[in-house]
Coordinates of all heavy atoms in Angstrom, one line a residue:
M1 N 31.3 50.2 -8.4 CA 31.6 48.9 -9.0 C 32.7 49.1 -10.0 O 32.6 49.9 -10.9 CB 30.4 48.3 -9.5 CG 30.6 47.1 -10.3 SD 29.1 46.5 -11.1 CE 28.8 45.1 -10.0
S2 N 33.7 48.3 -9.9 CA 34.8 48.4 -10.9 C 34.5 47.6 -12.1 O 33.8 46.6 -12.0 CB 36.2 48.0 -10.3 OG 36.1 46.7 -9.9
K3 N 35.1 48.0 -13.3 CA 34.8 47.2 -14.5 C 35.8 46.1 -14.6 O 36.9 46.2 -13.9 CB 35.0 48.1 -15.7 CG 33.9 49.2 -15.8 CD 34.0 50.1 -16.9 CE 32.9 51.1 -17.0 NZ 33.0 52.0 -18.2
G4 N 35.6 45.1 -15.4 CA 36.5 44.0 -15.6 C 37.7 44.6 -16.3 O 37.8 45.6 -16.9
N5 N 38.7 43.7 -16.3 CA 40.0 44.1 -17.0 C 39.7 44.2 -18.5 O 39.0 43.3 -19.1 CB 41.0 43.0 -16.8 CG 41.5 42.9 -15.4 OD1 41.3 43.8 -14.6 ND2 42.2 41.8 -15.0
R6 N 40.2 45.1 -19.2 CA 40.1 45.2 -20.6 C 41.3 44.5 -21.2 O 42.4 44.5 -20.8 CB 40.3 46.7 -21.1 CG 39.0 47.5 -20.7 CD 39.0 48.9 -21.3 NE 39.1 48.8 -22.8 CZ 38.1 48.6 -23.6 NH1 36.9 48.5 -23.2 NH2 38.4 48.6 -25.0
I7 N 40.9 43.7 -22.3 CA 42.0 42.9 -23.0 C 42.7 43.8 -23.9 O 42.0 44.4 -24.9 CB 41.3 41.7 -23.7 CG1 40.6 40.8 -22.7 CG2 42.3 40.9 -24.4 CD1 39.7 39.8 -23.3
S8 N 44.0 44.0 -23.8 CA 44.7 44.8 -24.7 C 45.6 44.1 -25.6 O 46.1 44.6 -26.6 CB 45.5 45.9 -23.9 OG 46.4 45.2 -23.0
Q9 N 45.9 42.9 -25.3 CA 46.8 42.1 -26.2 C 46.5 40.6 -26.0 O 46.4 40.1 -24.9 CB 48.2 42.4 -25.8 CG 49.3 41.7 -26.6 CD 50.7 42.1 -26.3 OE1 51.0 42.5 -25.2 NE2 51.6 41.9 -27.2
L10 N 46.6 39.9 -27.1 CA 46.4 38.4 -27.1 C 47.7 37.9 -27.7 O 48.3 38.5 -28.6 CB 45.3 37.9 -27.9 CG 43.9 38.4 -27.4 CD1 42.8 38.0 -28.4 CD2 43.6 37.8 -26.0
R11 N 48.2 36.7 -27.3 CA 49.3 36.1 -27.8 C 48.8 34.7 -28.4 O 48.0 34.1 -27.8 CB 50.4 35.9 -26.8 CG 50.9 37.2 -26.3 CD 52.0 36.9 -25.3 NE 52.4 38.2 -24.7 CZ 53.4 38.3 -23.8 NH1 54.1 37.2 -23.5 NH2 53.7 39.4 -23.3
D12 N 49.4 34.3 -29.5 CA 49.2 32.9 -29.9 C 50.5 32.2 -29.8 O 51.6 32.7 -29.7 CB 48.6 32.9 -31.3 CG 49.7 33.2 -32.4 OD1 50.6 32.4 -32.5 OD2 49.5 34.1 -33.2
T13 N 50.4 30.9 -29.8 CA 51.6 30.0 -29.6 C 52.1 29.5 -31.0 O 53.2 29.0 -31.0 CB 51.2 28.8 -28.8 OG1 50.2 28.1 -29.4 CG2 50.7 29.2 -27.4
G14 N 51.3 29.7 -32.0 CA 51.7 29.2 -33.3 C 51.5 27.7 -33.4 O 51.9 27.1 -34.4
I15 N 50.9 27.1 -32.4 CA 50.7 25.6 -32.4 C 49.5 25.3 -33.1 O 48.4 25.9 -32.8 CB 50.7 25.1 -30.9 CG1 52.0 25.4 -30.2 CG2 50.4 23.6 -30.9 CD1 52.0 25.1 -28.8
K16 N 49.5 24.3 -33.9 CA 48.3 23.8 -34.6 C 47.7 22.7 -33.7 O 48.4 21.8 -33.2 CB 48.7 23.2 -36.0 CG 49.1 24.3 -36.9 CD 49.4 23.8 -38.3 CE 49.9 24.9 -39.2 NZ 50.2 24.5 -40.5
V17 N 46.4 22.8 -33.6 CA 45.7 21.8 -32.7 C 44.8 21.0 -33.6 O 43.9 21.6 -34.3 CB 44.9 22.5 -31.6 CG1 44.2 21.5 -30.8 CG2 45.9 23.3 -30.7
R18 N 44.9 19.7 -33.6 CA 44.0 18.8 -34.4 C 42.7 18.6 -33.5 O 42.8 18.1 -32.4 CB 44.7 17.5 -34.7 CG 43.8 16.7 -35.6 CD 44.7 15.5 -36.1 NE 43.9 14.7 -37.0 CZ 43.7 14.9 -38.3 NH1 44.4 15.9 -38.8 NH2 43.0 14.1 -39.1
V19 N 41.6 18.9 -34.1 CA 40.4 18.7 -33.3 C 39.4 18.1 -34.3 O 39.6 18.2 -35.5 CB 39.8 20.0 -32.7 CG1 40.7 20.6 -31.7 CG2 39.5 21.0 -33.8
D20 N 38.3 17.6 -33.8 CA 37.2 17.2 -34.7 C 36.0 18.0 -34.2 O 36.0 18.7 -33.2 CB 37.0 15.7 -34.7 CG 36.6 15.1 -33.4 OD1 35.9 15.7 -32.6 OD2 37.1 14.0 -33.1
N21 N 34.8 17.8 -34.9 CA 33.7 18.6 -34.5 C 33.1 18.2 -33.1 O 32.3 19.0 -32.6 CB 32.6 18.5 -35.6 CG 33.0 19.1 -36.8 OD1 33.8 20.1 -36.8 ND2 32.4 18.7 -38.0
K22 N 33.5 17.1 -32.6 CA 33.0 16.7 -31.3 C 34.1 16.9 -30.2 O 33.9 16.3 -29.1 CB 32.5 15.3 -31.4 CG 31.3 15.2 -32.3 CD 30.7 13.8 -32.3 CE 29.6 13.7 -33.2 NZ 29.0 12.4 -33.3
H23 N 35.1 17.6 -30.5 CA 36.2 17.8 -29.5 C 35.8 18.7 -28.4 O 35.3 19.8 -28.6 CB 37.4 18.5 -30.2 CG 38.5 18.7 -29.3 ND1 39.4 17.7 -28.9 CD2 38.9 19.8 -28.6 CE1 40.3 18.3 -28.0 NE2 39.9 19.5 -27.8
H24 N 35.8 18.2 -27.2 CA 35.6 18.9 -26.0 C 36.5 18.4 -24.9 O 36.4 17.1 -24.7 CB 34.1 18.8 -25.5 CG 33.1 19.4 -26.5 ND1 33.0 20.8 -26.6 CD2 32.3 18.9 -27.4 CE1 32.1 21.1 -27.5 NE2 31.6 20.0 -28.0
K25 N 37.1 19.2 -24.2 CA 37.8 18.8 -23.1 C 36.8 18.7 -21.9 O 35.9 19.5 -21.9 CB 39.0 19.7 -22.7 CG 40.2 19.6 -23.6 CD 41.3 20.4 -23.0 CE 42.6 20.2 -23.8 NZ 43.7 20.9 -23.4
P26 N 36.9 17.7 -21.1 CA 36.0 17.7 -19.9 C 36.2 19.0 -19.1 O 37.3 19.4 -18.9 CB 36.5 16.4 -19.1 CG 37.5 15.8 -19.9 CD 37.9 16.6 -21.0
I27 N 35.1 19.5 -18.7 CA 35.1 20.7 -17.9 C 34.9 20.2 -16.4 O 33.8 19.7 -16.1 CB 33.9 21.7 -18.3 CG1 34.2 22.1 -19.7 CG2 33.9 22.9 -17.4 CD1 33.0 23.0 -20.2
E28 N 35.9 20.5 -15.6 CA 35.9 20.0 -14.3 C 35.7 21.2 -13.4 O 36.4 22.2 -13.5 CB 37.2 19.3 -13.9 CG 37.3 18.0 -14.7 CD 38.6 17.3 -14.3 OE1 39.2 17.6 -13.2 OE2 39.0 16.5 -15.1
D29 N 34.7 21.1 -12.5 CA 34.4 22.2 -11.6 C 35.6 22.3 -10.6 O 36.1 21.4 -10.0 CB 33.2 21.8 -10.7 CG 32.7 22.9 -9.9 OD1 33.5 23.8 -9.5 OD2 31.5 22.9 -9.6
P30 N 36.2 23.6 -10.4 CA 37.3 23.7 -9.6 C 37.0 23.6 -8.1 O 37.8 23.6 -7.3 CB 37.8 25.2 -9.9 CG 36.6 25.9 -10.5 CD 35.8 24.8 -11.2
G31 N 35.7 23.5 -7.8 CA 35.3 23.2 -6.4 C 34.2 24.2 -6.0 O 34.1 25.3 -6.6
P32 N 33.5 23.9 -5.0 CA 32.4 24.8 -4.6 C 33.0 26.2 -4.1 O 34.0 26.2 -3.5 CB 31.8 24.1 -3.3 CG 32.2 22.7 -3.5 CD 33.5 22.6 -4.3
G33 N 32.4 27.2 -4.6 CA 32.8 28.5 -4.2 C 34.0 29.1 -5.0 O 34.3 30.3 -4.8
K34 N 34.6 28.3 -5.8 CA 35.8 28.7 -6.7 C 35.3 29.1 -8.0 O 34.5 28.4 -8.7 CB 36.8 27.6 -6.7 CG 37.4 27.3 -5.3 CD 38.6 26.4 -5.4 CE 39.2 26.2 -4.0 NZ 40.3 25.4 -4.1
H35 N 35.8 30.2 -8.5 CA 35.5 30.7 -9.9 C 36.2 29.8 -10.9 O 37.3 29.2 -10.6 CB 35.9 32.2 -10.1 CG 35.2 33.1 -9.1 ND1 33.9 33.6 -9.3 CD2 35.6 33.7 -7.9 CE1 33.6 34.4 -8.4 NE2 34.6 34.5 -7.5
F36 N 35.7 29.9 -12.1 CA 36.3 29.1 -13.3 C 36.4 30.1 -14.3 O 35.5 30.5 -15.1 CB 35.3 28.0 -13.7 CG 35.8 27.1 -14.8 CD1 36.6 26.0 -14.5 CD2 35.5 27.3 -16.1 CE1 37.1 25.2 -15.4 CE2 36.0 26.5 -17.1 CZ 36.8 25.4 -16.8
W37 N 37.6 30.8 -14.4 CA 37.9 31.9 -15.3 C 38.1 31.5 -16.7 O 38.9 30.6 -16.9 CB 39.1 32.7 -14.7 CG 39.0 33.2 -13.4 CD1 39.8 32.8 -12.3 CD2 38.1 34.2 -12.9 NE1 39.3 33.5 -11.2 CE2 38.3 34.3 -11.5 CE3 37.0 34.9 -13.5 CZ2 37.5 35.2 -10.8 CZ3 36.2 35.7 -12.7 CH2 36.5 35.9 -11.4
I38 N 37.5 32.1 -17.6 CA 37.6 31.8 -19.0 C 37.6 33.1 -19.9 O 37.3 34.2 -19.4 CB 36.3 31.0 -19.5 CG1 35.1 31.7 -19.4 CG2 36.3 29.6 -18.8 CD1 33.9 31.1 -20.1
L39 N 38.1 32.9 -21.1 CA 37.9 33.9 -22.2 C 37.1 33.3 -23.2 O 37.2 32.0 -23.5 CB 39.2 34.3 -22.8 CG 40.3 35.0 -22.0 CD1 41.6 35.2 -22.8 CD2 39.8 36.4 -21.6
T40 N 36.3 34.1 -23.9 CA 35.5 33.5 -25.1 C 36.0 34.3 -26.3 O 36.2 35.5 -26.2 CB 34.0 33.6 -24.9 OG1 33.7 35.0 -24.7 CG2 33.5 32.8 -23.8
G41 N 36.1 33.6 -27.4 CA 36.5 34.3 -28.6 C 35.6 33.8 -29.8 O 35.0 32.8 -29.7
L42 N 35.5 34.7 -30.7 CA 34.6 34.5 -31.9 C 35.5 34.8 -33.1 O 36.0 35.9 -33.3 CB 33.4 35.4 -31.8 CG 32.3 35.1 -32.9 CD1 31.0 35.3 -32.2 CD2 32.5 36.1 -34.0
W43 N 35.7 33.9 -34.1 CA 36.3 34.1 -35.3 C 35.4 33.9 -36.5 O 34.5 33.0 -36.4 CB 37.5 33.0 -35.5 CG 38.6 33.3 -34.6 CD1 39.7 34.0 -35.0 CD2 38.8 33.0 -33.3 NE1 40.7 34.0 -34.0 CE2 40.1 33.4 -32.9 CE3 38.1 32.3 -32.3 CZ2 40.6 33.2 -31.6 CZ3 38.6 32.1 -31.1 CH2 39.9 32.5 -30.7
R44 N 35.5 34.7 -37.5 CA 34.7 34.6 -38.7 C 35.3 33.5 -39.5 O 36.5 33.4 -39.7 CB 34.7 35.9 -39.5 CG 33.9 35.8 -40.7 CD 33.8 37.1 -41.4 NE 32.9 36.9 -42.6 CZ 32.5 37.9 -43.4 NH1 32.9 39.1 -43.1 NH2 31.7 37.7 -44.3
V45 N 34.4 32.7 -40.1 CA 34.8 31.5 -40.9 C 34.5 31.8 -42.3 O 33.3 32.0 -42.7 CB 34.1 30.2 -40.4 CG1 34.4 29.1 -41.4 CG2 34.5 29.9 -39.0
A46 N 35.5 31.9 -43.2 CA 35.2 32.2 -44.6 C 34.6 31.0 -45.4 O 33.8 31.2 -46.2 CB 36.5 32.7 -45.3
N47 N 35.1 29.9 -45.1 CA 34.6 28.6 -45.8 C 34.2 27.6 -44.8 O 35.1 26.8 -44.3 CB 35.8 28.1 -46.7 CG 35.4 26.9 -47.4 OD1 34.2 26.4 -47.3 ND2 36.4 26.4 -48.1
P48 N 33.0 27.5 -44.5 CA 32.5 26.5 -43.5 C 32.7 25.1 -43.9 O 32.7 24.2 -43.0 CB 31.0 26.7 -43.4 CG 30.8 28.1 -44.1 CD 31.9 28.3 -45.0
T49 N 33.0 24.8 -45.2 CA 33.3 23.4 -45.6 C 34.7 23.0 -45.4 O 35.1 21.9 -45.6 CB 32.8 23.2 -47.0 OG1 33.6 24.0 -47.9 CG2 31.3 23.4 -47.2
S50 N 35.6 24.0 -45.1 CA 37.0 23.7 -44.9 C 37.2 22.8 -43.7 O 36.5 22.8 -42.7 CB 37.8 25.1 -44.7 OG 39.0 24.8 -44.2
N51 N 38.3 22.1 -43.8 CA 38.6 21.3 -42.6 C 39.9 21.8 -42.0 O 40.6 21.1 -41.3 CB 38.9 19.8 -43.2 CG 38.9 18.8 -42.0 OD1 38.3 19.1 -40.9 ND2 39.6 17.7 -42.2
N52 N 40.2 23.1 -42.2 CA 41.3 23.7 -41.7 C 41.0 25.1 -41.3 O 41.3 26.0 -42.1 CB 42.5 23.6 -42.7 CG 43.8 24.1 -42.2 OD1 44.0 24.2 -41.0 ND2 44.7 24.5 -43.1
F53 N 40.5 25.3 -40.1 CA 40.1 26.7 -39.8 C 41.2 27.4 -39.1 O 41.9 26.9 -38.3 CB 38.9 26.5 -38.8 CG 37.7 25.9 -39.4 CD1 37.3 24.7 -38.9 CD2 37.0 26.5 -40.3 CE1 36.1 24.1 -39.4 CE2 35.8 25.9 -40.9 CZ 35.4 24.7 -40.4
M54 N 41.3 28.7 -39.5 CA 42.4 29.5 -39.0 C 41.8 30.4 -37.9 O 40.8 31.1 -38.2 CB 43.0 30.3 -40.1 CG 43.6 29.5 -41.3 SD 44.8 28.3 -40.8 CE 46.1 29.4 -40.5
L55 N 42.5 30.5 -36.8 CA 42.0 31.3 -35.7 C 43.1 32.4 -35.6 O 43.9 32.4 -34.7 CB 41.8 30.5 -34.4 CG 41.0 29.3 -34.4 CD1 40.8 28.7 -33.1 CD2 39.6 29.7 -35.0
D56 N 43.0 33.3 -36.5 CA 44.1 34.4 -36.7 C 43.5 35.7 -36.3 O 42.3 35.9 -36.1 CB 44.6 34.5 -38.1 CG 45.4 33.2 -38.5 OD1 46.0 32.6 -37.6 OD2 45.3 32.9 -39.7
A57 N 44.4 36.7 -36.1 CA 44.0 38.0 -35.8 C 43.2 38.6 -37.0 O 42.2 39.4 -36.7 CB 45.3 38.9 -35.6
E58 N 43.4 38.2 -38.2 CA 42.7 38.7 -39.4 C 41.2 38.4 -39.3 O 40.4 39.1 -39.8 CB 43.3 38.2 -40.7 CG 44.7 38.8 -41.0 CD 45.8 38.1 -40.1 OE1 45.5 37.0 -39.6 OE2 46.9 38.7 -40.1
N59 N 40.8 37.2 -38.7 CA 39.4 36.9 -38.7 C 38.8 36.9 -37.3 O 37.7 36.4 -37.1 CB 39.2 35.5 -39.5 CG 39.9 34.4 -38.8 OD1 40.9 34.6 -38.1 ND2 39.4 33.2 -39.0
L60 N 39.6 37.4 -36.4 CA 39.1 37.5 -35.0 C 38.0 38.6 -34.9 O 38.3 39.7 -35.3 CB 40.3 37.7 -34.1 CG 39.9 38.0 -32.6 CD1 39.2 36.7 -32.0 CD2 41.1 38.3 -31.8
V61 N 36.9 38.3 -34.5 CA 35.8 39.3 -34.4 C 35.8 39.9 -33.0 O 35.7 41.1 -32.8 CB 34.5 38.6 -34.7 CG1 33.3 39.7 -34.5 CG2 34.4 38.1 -36.1
T62 N 35.8 39.1 -32.0 CA 35.8 39.6 -30.6 C 36.4 38.6 -29.6 O 36.4 37.4 -29.9 CB 34.4 39.9 -30.2 OG1 34.3 40.5 -28.9 CG2 33.5 38.8 -30.2
V63 N 36.9 39.1 -28.5 CA 37.3 38.3 -27.4 C 36.7 38.9 -26.2 O 36.8 40.2 -26.0 CB 38.9 38.2 -27.3 CG1 39.2 37.5 -26.0 CG2 39.5 37.6 -28.5
D64 N 36.1 38.2 -25.4 CA 35.5 38.7 -24.2 C 36.0 38.0 -23.0 O 36.3 36.8 -23.0 CB 33.9 38.6 -24.2 CG 33.3 39.5 -25.3 OD1 33.7 40.8 -25.3 OD2 32.5 39.1 -26.1
G65 N 36.0 38.8 -21.8 CA 36.4 38.2 -20.6 C 37.7 38.9 -20.1 O 38.1 40.0 -20.6
P66 N 38.4 38.3 -19.2 CA 38.1 37.1 -18.5 C 36.8 37.2 -17.6 O 36.5 38.3 -17.1 CB 39.3 36.8 -17.6 CG 40.0 38.0 -17.5 CD 39.6 38.9 -18.7
G67 N 36.1 36.1 -17.6 CA 34.9 36.1 -16.7 C 34.8 34.7 -16.2 O 35.5 33.7 -16.5
C68 N 33.8 34.5 -15.3 CA 33.6 33.3 -14.6 C 32.6 32.5 -15.3 O 31.4 32.9 -15.6 CB 33.2 33.5 -13.1 SG 32.9 31.9 -12.3
Y69 N 32.9 31.2 -15.8 CA 32.0 30.3 -16.4 C 30.8 30.0 -15.5 O 29.7 29.8 -16.0 CB 32.7 29.0 -16.8 CG 31.9 28.0 -17.5 CD1 31.7 28.1 -18.9 CD2 31.3 27.0 -16.8 CE1 31.0 27.1 -19.6 CE2 30.6 26.0 -17.5 CZ 30.4 26.1 -18.9 OH 29.7 25.1 -19.5
K70 N 31.1 29.9 -14.2 CA 30.0 29.5 -13.3 C 29.0 30.6 -12.9 O 27.9 30.5 -13.0 CB 30.7 28.9 -12.0 CG 31.4 27.7 -12.3 CD 32.3 27.3 -11.1 CE 31.5 26.9 -9.8 NZ 32.4 26.4 -8.7
C71 N 29.5 31.7 -12.5 CA 28.6 32.9 -12.1 C 28.4 33.9 -13.2 O 27.6 34.8 -13.0 CB 29.1 33.4 -10.8 SG 30.7 34.4 -10.9
E72 N 29.2 33.8 -14.3 CA 29.0 34.7 -15.4 C 29.4 36.2 -15.1 O 29.0 37.0 -15.8 CB 27.6 34.6 -16.0 CG 27.2 33.1 -16.5 CD 25.9 33.1 -17.1 OE1 25.2 34.1 -17.4 OE2 25.4 31.9 -17.2
G73 N 30.2 36.3 -14.1 CA 30.6 37.7 -13.7 C 31.9 38.0 -14.4 O 32.8 37.1 -14.6
L74 N 32.1 39.3 -14.9 CA 33.4 39.6 -15.5 C 34.4 39.7 -14.3 O 34.1 40.1 -13.2 CB 33.3 41.0 -16.1 CG 32.8 41.0 -17.5 CD1 32.6 42.5 -18.0 CD2 33.6 40.2 -18.4
Y75 N 35.7 39.4 -14.6 CA 36.7 39.4 -13.6 C 36.9 40.8 -13.1 O 37.0 41.8 -13.8 CB 38.1 39.0 -14.2 CG 39.1 39.0 -13.1 CD1 39.3 38.0 -12.3 CD2 39.8 40.2 -12.9 CE1 40.3 38.0 -11.2 CE2 40.8 40.2 -11.9 CZ 41.0 39.2 -11.1 OH 41.9 39.2 -10.1
T76 N 36.9 40.9 -11.7 CA 37.3 42.1 -11.0 C 38.1 41.5 -9.8 O 37.8 40.4 -9.4 CB 36.2 43.0 -10.5 OG1 35.3 42.2 -9.6 CG2 35.3 43.5 -11.7
D77 N 38.9 42.4 -9.2 CA 39.6 42.0 -8.0 C 38.5 41.7 -6.9 O 38.7 40.7 -6.1 CB 40.6 43.0 -7.6 CG 41.8 43.1 -8.5 OD1 42.0 42.2 -9.3 OD2 42.4 44.3 -8.4
E78 N 37.5 42.4 -6.9 CA 36.5 42.3 -5.9 C 35.7 40.9 -6.1 O 35.5 40.3 -5.1 CB 35.5 43.5 -5.9 CG 36.0 44.8 -5.6 CD 36.7 45.5 -6.7 OE1 36.8 45.0 -7.9 OE2 37.4 46.5 -6.4
L79 N 35.4 40.6 -7.3 CA 34.7 39.3 -7.6 C 35.6 38.2 -7.3 O 35.2 37.2 -6.6 CB 34.2 39.2 -9.0 CG 33.4 38.0 -9.4 CD1 32.2 37.8 -8.5 CD2 33.1 37.9 -10.9
A80 N 36.9 38.3 -7.7 CA 37.8 37.2 -7.4 C 38.0 36.9 -5.9 O 38.2 35.8 -5.5 CB 39.1 37.5 -8.0
A81 N 37.9 38.0 -5.1 CA 38.0 37.8 -3.6 C 36.8 37.2 -3.0 O 36.8 36.8 -1.8 CB 38.3 39.2 -3.0
Q82 N 35.7 37.2 -3.8 CA 34.4 36.6 -3.2 C 34.3 35.1 -3.6 O 34.8 34.7 -4.6 CB 33.2 37.4 -3.8 CG 33.2 38.9 -3.4 CD 32.1 39.7 -4.2 OE1 31.3 39.0 -4.8 NE2 32.1 40.9 -4.0
S83 N 33.5 34.4 -2.8 CA 33.2 33.1 -3.1 C 32.2 33.1 -4.3 O 31.4 33.9 -4.4 CB 32.5 32.4 -1.9 OG 32.1 31.1 -2.2
C84 N 32.5 32.1 -5.3 CA 31.7 32.0 -6.5 C 30.3 31.5 -6.0 O 30.2 30.4 -5.3 CB 32.3 31.1 -7.5 SG 31.3 31.0 -9.0
K85 N 29.2 32.1 -6.5 CA 27.9 31.7 -6.2 C 27.2 30.9 -7.4 O 26.0 30.7 -7.4 CB 27.1 32.8 -5.7 CG 27.6 33.4 -4.4 CD 26.8 34.6 -4.0 CE 27.2 35.2 -2.7 NZ 28.6 35.3 -2.4
G86 N 28.0 30.7 -8.5 CA 27.5 30.0 -9.6 C 27.6 28.5 -9.6 O 28.1 28.0 -8.6
S87 N 27.2 28.0 -10.7 CA 27.2 26.5 -10.8 C 27.7 26.1 -12.2 O 27.5 26.8 -13.2 CB 25.8 26.0 -10.6 OG 25.7 24.6 -11.0
M88 N 28.5 25.0 -12.3 CA 28.9 24.5 -13.6 C 27.8 24.1 -14.4 O 27.8 24.2 -15.7 CB 29.9 23.3 -13.4 CG 31.2 23.8 -12.8 SD 32.2 24.9 -13.7 CE 32.9 23.8 -14.9
F89 N 26.7 23.6 -13.8 CA 25.6 23.0 -14.6 C 24.3 23.6 -14.1 O 23.7 23.0 -13.2 CB 25.6 21.5 -14.5 CG 26.9 20.9 -14.9 CD1 27.8 20.5 -13.9 CD2 27.3 20.8 -16.2 CE1 29.1 20.0 -14.3 CE2 28.5 20.3 -16.6 CZ 29.4 19.9 -15.6
P90 N 24.0 24.9 -14.6 CA 22.7 25.5 -14.0 C 21.5 24.6 -14.3 O 21.5 23.9 -15.3 CB 22.7 26.8 -14.8 CG 23.8 26.8 -15.8 CD 24.6 25.5 -15.6
L91 N 20.5 24.7 -13.4 CA 19.3 23.9 -13.6 C 18.5 24.5 -14.6 O 18.5 25.5 -15.0 CB 18.6 23.9 -12.2 CG 19.3 23.3 -11.1 CD1 18.5 23.5 -9.8 CD2 19.6 21.9 -11.3
Ligands
LIG1 ZN1 32.2 32.7 -10.4

C-alpha cells in the first residue's frame, strides 16, 4: 500500500477573506463514486476575541491531506483510480 502524498509546500494568495462565524460554502457532492479531495488545516489563535484572525505560517500548526471528505482516505494514485465508496452525509 502506498502512502499519501506528503505536503512539502503551501502557498498563500495574500487575499483577505471576509467571513463571519457562520460562514460556510455549500458542500456539493461531486457525484456518486467520485472523491471529494480536501486539505484540512489548523492554526493557533492567540486572541479568540479578535475579529481579525491571521492564517499565517507563523501560527500554522498542521496541514493534513489531501484526502477524500467522503471516504476519508488519504490521496493515493490507487485510491484516486477507484470509485469512492464514501458518503457526503454519513448516517
Ligand atoms: Zn473518496
Side-chain angles (χ1 to χ4, degrees):
M1 171 183 256
S2 64
K3 295 181 179 179
N5 294 344
R6 290 191 54 88
I7 300 168
S8 60
Q9 184 178 20
L10 297 173
R11 297 181 187 183
D12 76 61
T13 61
I15 296 172
K16 294 182 180 179
V17 179
R18 185 172 182 85
V19 297
D20 61 41
N21 289 337
K22 295 182 180 177
H23 177 83
H24 294 282
K25 285 188 175 180
I27 299 175
E28 296 180 19
D29 192 332
K34 295 190 176 181
H35 298 283
F36 187 86
W37 301 116
I38 62 167
L39 292 174
T40 59
L42 186 145
W43 284 263
R44 184 174 181 176
V45 175
N47 180 3
T49 62
S50 171
N51 196 27
N52 188 18
F53 299 113
M54 304 301 287
L55 307 180
D56 293 327
E58 291 77 17
N59 61 337
L60 177 62
V61 176
T62 186
V63 175
D64 290 312
C68 178
Y69 181 85
K70 293 170 65 176
C71 67
E72 301 181 12
L74 279 176
Y75 178 88
T76 62
D77 292 341
E78 292 82 9
L79 181 61
Q82 298 170 9
S83 178
C84 182
K85 295 178 175 44
S87 168
M88 293 295 282
F89 306 103
L91 299 175

